[in-house]
Amino acid sequence: MSPLFNQPDEESSQIQKCLNGDAEAIAGLRNKHQPALTNILVGRGANRTEAEDLLADLWADCIFKSEDRPSLLEKFSHKCALQSWLSTVALRRLIDLKRRQKFRGEPVKQSELDSRTDFFERVPSTSSPTPESALIDMLRTSLQGALESCGAEALLILRLVYLHGVTQREVGRMFGWHESKVSRAGATAMKHIQTATLGQIQKKDPWLQLSWEDFLALCETHQVGFL
Amino acid sequence: MANSFEILTRFLERYSDEVEGRQLREPSLEVTNKLKEFAKGTLPEDERNTLLNLLKENPNWIPVIANEIKALRPGPGPAD
């Protein structure tokens, strides 16, 4: 068997060693993935210091500390390559960091202070959105906005084909179209959703250079809950 | 592996506040009949736009169309 085919087994074995607290295995993992993860974070809008700090925390979290604080790697479910998973975790942390920086930098509006006379009413509420919910909210609102701006006909085609297993030929018969027209309409709609979603994110968080693959990976990891 | 549109839809299903906030309506008999006509390709074009907008608001009605289309598929031929 070629070394390529052995790779997942080697990776699993290395992860297991990390989970057992093998410092050498963790160092090996860091040496292998650090350069690519740094490039990914810098490419998405982090400066080099932020990328290095985030990754230092990430590797520290991969070390088993106690029963209360298990290794981050325990959450890895092997549903994708380790590097994809690590890059999604790192990216999520970058978004959390940038959003915290943004909120820390925004002063409370005077009108908000004036409308509240009691000092305790000015104390921040404990129900402020968590970084996790802020990230989900960003993904959700940008995607919902994009879908709302999509034509009703195109949305129906996408739903029938990709969610309900109807063929493009069958959809074409329904509309009186050739299936190639259905295919083009579906592809155009997907492109519109992609452009509109990323456009909304850019508008809200201009620092964030998210690719469509990043967006999908973030949605997918939240969907199956393996972060 | 899930397709991109499916990933997006499942994500929204899980996190959309509309899931909790909006009660899912069943289509009326009249709308159901129009959905079936649409599936067969016999719905007049001038009626399509109204139905398409209703479907955008009520994506839970789309299975009516999908099921009707699948019911129109030719069955397996007679066994030799």
Side-chain angles (χ1 to χ4, degrees), chain A residues 136 139-140 143-144 147-150 152-153 155-156 158-160 162-167 170 173-176 190 193 212 215-216 219-220 222-225, chain B residues 1-18 38-42 48-49 52-53 55-56 59 62-63 65-66 69-70 72-73:
Chain A
I136 290 170
L139 298 173
R140 184 175 56 81
L143 182 56
Q144 271 177 339
L147 289 177
E148 277 161 21
S149 68
C150 201
E153 197 173 71
L155 267 183
L156 176 62
L158 291 176
R159 286 185 166 128
L160 283 172
Y162 293 116
L163 302 182
H164 297 285
V166 175
T167 67
E170 288 168 329
R173 212 160 37 224
M174 190 174 111
F175 281 100
M190 276 309 293
I193 291 169
W212 185 236
F215 187 89
L216 287 173
C219 286
E220 192 169 25
H222 277 96
Q223 180 194 314
V224 296
Chain B
M1 194 182 189
N3 63 62
S4 302
F5 188 72
E6 191 179 358
I7 291 170
L8 302 175
T9 308
R10 301 287 172 245
F11 173 79
L12 279 186
E13 278 173 1
R14 182 164 173 174
Y15 292 107
S16 175
D17 44 20
E18 287 184 24
F38 193 14
K40 287 176 190 157
T42 55
R48 269 192 215 163
N49 280 344
L52 282 168
N53 289 328
L55 285 167
K56 191 174 180 181
I62 294 175
I65 296 184
I69 291 174
K70 288 174 188 173
L72 294 170
R73 286 175 181 168

Side-chain angles (χ1 to χ4, degrees), chain A residues 34-94:
Chain A
Q34 175 91 3
L37 292 176
T38 306
N39 287 340
I40 288 168
L41 289 177
V42 171
R44 304 301 182 271
N47 63 39
R48 198 148 283 274
T49 310
E50 286 168 340
E52 282 167 6
D53 288 350
L54 283 168
L55 292 177
D57 286 347
L58 187 145
W59 297 123
D61 289 345
C62 288
I63 300 167
F64 174 85
K65 292 185 184 78
S66 65
E67 290 296 328
D68 294 339
R69 292 197 62 189
S71 163
L72 175 69
L73 289 169
E74 279 191 13
K75 294 181 182 173
F76 178 55
S77 62
H78 301 261
K79 287 180 180 168
C80 61
L82 179 64
Q83 179 149 319
S84 305
W85 184 77
L86 286 171
S87 62
T88 308
V89 174
L91 180 58
R92 194 192 63 161
R93 290 181 175 201
L94 170 66

Side-chain angles (χ1 to χ4, degrees), chain A residues 3 12-13 20 51 54 75 82 100 106 126 138 143 145 158 164 174 186 191 194-195 204 207-208 214 226:
Chain A
S12 298
S13 145
N20 293 339
L54 283 168
K75 294 181 182 173
L82 179 64
R100 278 201 306 274
E106 278 177 7
T126 50
M138 180 192 81
L143 182 56
L158 291 176
H164 297 285
M174 190 174 111
K191 189 72 198 159
Q194 177 181 334
T195 309
K204 208 169 179 183
W207 63 269
L208 182 59
D214 294 334
F226 68 81

